[in-house]
Amino acid sequence: MFIGRKNELKKLEKLYLSEQFECIVMYGRRRVGKTTLINEFCKNKPTIYFTGIEASSKINLENLSDSIFRYAMPQTDAYPIFENYQRALDYIHDLAREKQLVVVFDEYPYLASSERSISSILQLYIDTKFKDSKGFLILCGSSMSFMEKQVLGYQSPLYGRRTAQMKVTAFDYKDTSLFYPHYSSEDQALLYGITGGVPSYIEKFNPKDSIEQNIVEKVLDDSSYLFEEPGNLLKQELREPQWYNSIITAIARGASRLNDVALSVGIASSLCSVYLQTLQSLGIVKKETPFGEGSTRKTIYRIEDNLFLFWYRYIAKHVSSVTQGNGEYLFETHIKPYLNDYMGIVFEKMCMEFLQRENHLHYLPFFFPSIGRWWGTDPKRRIQVEIDIVAASQIEKKILVGECKYRSERTGLEVYNNLMNNSKVLSKNYAETYYSLFSKSGFSVGLKEQVKENPNVLLFTLSDLYNLPQLKGAE
């Protein structure tokens, strides 16, 4: 069953309706569902689907020939092999001159690695032949750095030849919930907290089992796919996985600034910065500065990928326990009692995603162009302040500040008053301030009574995030 990706399919279908040549560059990290998306789009459409492999140029040309003739001569058992890639593209051009034809080059980086001239060849054919055809060319790849530099980059022969580009990302918490709709809101949140919305990770869970049983059997078992996945992904994507592993470990242990990470790993800051940029391109690490500030002095690094966050927080130092078959014991003693603390980090991300969805639907009291976190010094109180969520509109001079609490007890007046005090350092620059509180377990009677007549205070529970209510104060 195909789930989600409505916006991506809509964009592809709109391009397809043009009935003229299109070249779409699609990329995204491994396991994110690019091939599944392309297959769904290609249903009931004339399609040549070729997947590059890590092999010689000759073998990839044989496979491309096979893909072409399987489409052009489906009744034939033995297919000829084209003399070279130019002849193969000539044949594709002839097929697409009068009839709209989807042509997919999946795992394009593997093909380009085996045949170094393929990008230049494609550039020539796009410029001289394909542009007058009805071909719908999709170049797809999982190597983020290759696709961004060697296909989309200014130095690439294919630069400027695309008619559209699409970066496929993991699902947000709301789309993740579509996989197992019978789960409770709390279990849905934990599912997202472990898998980060990566489809192939989500599908590893057994819908018949509880979320806790799935964590024990699908993550805390040394024979499981998800236990091995972080290490395997680093080995597949990177030449020096040991250094990247050390950097992620350092961040997981609390190092957040560049110099601190470099010192913990034992490498120069300049080299560490390069490694961090690569981890950012893979979506494993996120670089952050306080909302509205561009100061690199305040830059910090966080683990962005949820599976990596969970693995390096709870499993990395207990690998021996897992390999000895003690996954269930590890969960009960070292993970389960601290899940609320772990999910607090994930919950902040979920709340931002929620506000971004509401913002897109114009359900908020004002429209904001960006959202983030803020931390810094309150000069009046001379204390360090952190605000979980900040969104603002300079045009309307309105700001929204938010606090996220993922804990078993109800959120009360203390949290609300603390948010009001902490936000003064930012709100003084705006005409109107909105306060948004997010709570896993709801709110105290005292808090609800105090803010019930205040349209500038927005309260949301965990279950509200899955129901997408229209916010009060919206037009």
Side-chain angles (χ1 to χ4, degrees):
M1 180 176 66
F2 184 79
I3 293 175
R5 305 297 186 202
K6 292 181 180 179
N7 290 335
E8 291 89 340
L9 282 174
K10 184 178 179 180
K11 291 175 183 178
L12 289 171
E13 293 291 352
K14 185 175 181 180
L15 290 167
Y16 188 74
L17 290 175
S18 72
E19 295 190 354
Q20 61 186 18
F21 175 73
E22 301 284 355
C23 178
I24 291 84
V25 176
M26 183 182 294
Y27 65 110
R29 55 167 288 180
R30 297 187 190 279
R31 332 285 198 245
V32 85
K34 300 181 298 298
T35 299
T36 302
L37 170 61
I38 294 173
N39 283 332
E40 183 68 16
F41 167 72
C42 291
K43 281 184 178 179
N44 303 317
K45 294 182 179 70
T47 302
I48 295 173
Y49 203 117
F50 162 72
T51 301
I53 61 173
E54 291 184 281
S56 67
S57 175
K58 180 177 181 295
I59 291 177
N60 271 307
L61 179 58
E62 291 174 359
N63 291 345
L64 175 59
S65 303
D66 184 79
S67 297
I68 293 171
F69 287 116
R70 281 186 183 278
Y71 164 78
M73 303 176 183
Q75 307 303 323
T76 306
D77 293 329
Y79 304 120
I81 299 172
F82 288 105
E83 177 185 350
N84 52 45
Y85 287 95
Q86 290 90 326
R87 299 290 80 79
L89 294 176
D90 281 335
Y91 197 91
I92 290 174
H93 171 255
D94 290 341
L95 292 172
R97 269 191 303 187
E98 303 299 331
K99 182 179 180 181
Q100 197 165 17
L101 176 64
V102 179
V103 181
V104 180
F105 280 47
D106 201 356
E107 295 295 355
Y108 181 73
Y110 288 152
L111 172 62
S113 178
S114 69
E115 178 52 61
R116 298 296 179 88
S117 63
I118 190 63
S119 292
S120 295
I121 294 171
L122 275 174
Q123 173 209 340
L124 176 64
Y125 273 74
I126 290 172
D127 291 346
T128 61
K129 293 187 176 184
F130 286 168
K131 66 178 183 178
D132 297 320
S133 74
K134 294 184 179 181
F136 193 95
L137 179 62
I138 299 177
L139 302 179
C140 181
S142 299
S143 174
M144 302 282 281
S145 59
F146 181 93
M147 296 300 290
E148 290 177 342
K149 295 177 182 178
Q150 303 300 320
V151 178
L152 296 172
Y154 182 75
Q155 301 297 325
S156 168
L158 291 170
Y159 179 77
R161 272 69 186 183
R162 70 187 185 278
T163 56
Q165 67 187 61
M166 185 176 293
K167 184 176 181 179
V168 182
T169 59
F171 289 130
D172 65 8
Y173 78 92
K174 188 68 166 58
D175 283 342
T176 299
S177 70
L178 299 176
F179 284 80
Y180 306 125
H182 64 286
Y183 274 176
S184 67
S185 296
E186 190 171 341
D187 285 349
Q188 294 283 12
L190 191 51
L191 174 68
Y192 177 69
I194 302 294
T195 66
V198 177
S200 68
Y201 299 169
I202 301 169
E203 291 169 348
K204 295 297 182 291
F205 279 55
N206 187 341
K208 296 180 181 179
D209 294 334
S210 69
I211 189 72
E212 294 185 357
Q213 188 176 349
N214 270 301
I215 293 173
V216 171
E217 295 182 358
K218 305 300 182 182
V219 185
L220 302 176
D221 185 314
D222 65 343
S223 65
S224 67
Y225 175 93
L226 293 177
F227 174 78
E228 294 286 351
E229 172 62 4
N232 286 339
L233 187 62
L234 293 180
K235 292 173 185 176
Q236 290 172 356
E237 293 286 346
L238 307 166
R239 294 180 180 178
E240 300 174 298
Q242 70 277 13
W243 290 114
Y244 292 97
N245 178 64
S246 298
I247 288 171
I248 300 169
T249 299
I251 297 173
R253 291 177 177 175
S256 60
R257 301 187 184 276
L258 174 60
N259 288 340
D260 294 335
V261 176
L263 184 63
S264 177
V265 175
I267 57 176
S269 294
S270 57
L271 181 58
C272 187
S273 179
V274 174
Y275 288 143
L276 283 166
Q277 288 177 15
T278 301
L279 289 172
Q280 290 173 69
S281 71
L282 292 173
I284 296 172
V285 166
K286 182 179 182 179
K287 180 180 179 179
E288 282 189 326
T289 54
F291 180 89
E293 299 184 20
S295 173
T296 56
R297 185 173 57 86
K298 291 187 177 181
T299 296
I300 63 170
Y301 295 89
R302 305 174 76 186
I303 299 177
E304 176 72 1
D305 182 280
N306 287 3
L307 181 61
F308 275 79
L309 180 63
F310 184 85
W311 203 96
Y312 280 85
R313 182 162 184 162
Y314 292 119
I315 303 176
K317 55 189 175 184
H318 296 293
V319 169
S320 296
S321 292
V322 176
T323 56
Q324 292 173 31
N326 297 320
E328 185 172 2
Y329 173 79
L330 175 63
F331 177 77
E332 293 293 337
T333 58
H334 289 79
I335 298 177
K336 187 176 180 178
Y338 310 102
L339 277 178
N340 276 357
D341 181 50
Y342 169 79
M343 284 301 297
I345 302 170
V346 177
F347 192 46
E348 288 182 16
K349 186 192 301 186
M350 292 171 60
C351 295
M352 283 193 190
E353 290 176 359
F354 169 81
L355 289 174
Q356 287 170 320
R357 277 179 174 259
E358 297 282 272
N359 190 53
H360 176 71
L361 295 169
H362 296 277
Y363 282 176
L364 286 166
F366 66 93
F367 185 85
F368 61 80
S370 59
I371 190 170
R373 299 191 309 126
W374 188 87
W375 60 93
T377 304
D378 183 334
K380 286 188 176 181
R381 295 184 292 167
R382 297 182 180 180
I383 60 172
Q384 290 298 306
V385 169
E386 292 186 12
I387 302 175
D388 294 340
I389 295 176
V390 182
S393 168
Q394 296 295 340
I395 296 175
E396 298 185 54
K397 289 298 178 182
K398 294 180 179 180
I399 186 172
L400 181 149
V401 292
E403 185 76 12
C404 311
K405 295 298 181 184
Y406 200 91
R407 56 193 187 188
S408 299
E409 62 268 22
R410 295 178 184 273
T411 298
L413 278 169
E414 181 183 353
V415 174
Y416 170 58
N417 292 331
N418 191 54
L419 175 61
M420 290 186 68
N421 290 328
N422 288 344
S423 64
K424 288 177 181 178
V425 69
L426 298 179
S427 60
K428 64 183 180 181
N429 300 317
Y430 296 87
E432 190 168 12
T433 302
Y434 291 85
Y435 304 91
S436 183
L437 294 176
F438 296 86
S439 173
K440 169 193 171 186
S441 304
F443 304 92
S444 70
V445 174
L447 173 57
K448 289 190 287 187
E449 280 294 319
Q450 179 157 327
V451 305
K452 67 179 181 180
E453 301 298 332
N454 188 344
N456 285 40
V457 179
L458 312 170
L459 305 181
F460 301 101
T461 64
L462 176 61
S463 59
D464 287 333
L465 268 62
Y466 289 94
N467 296 323
L468 280 178
Q470 182 166 329
L471 306 192
K472 59 183 179 181
E475 298 178 357

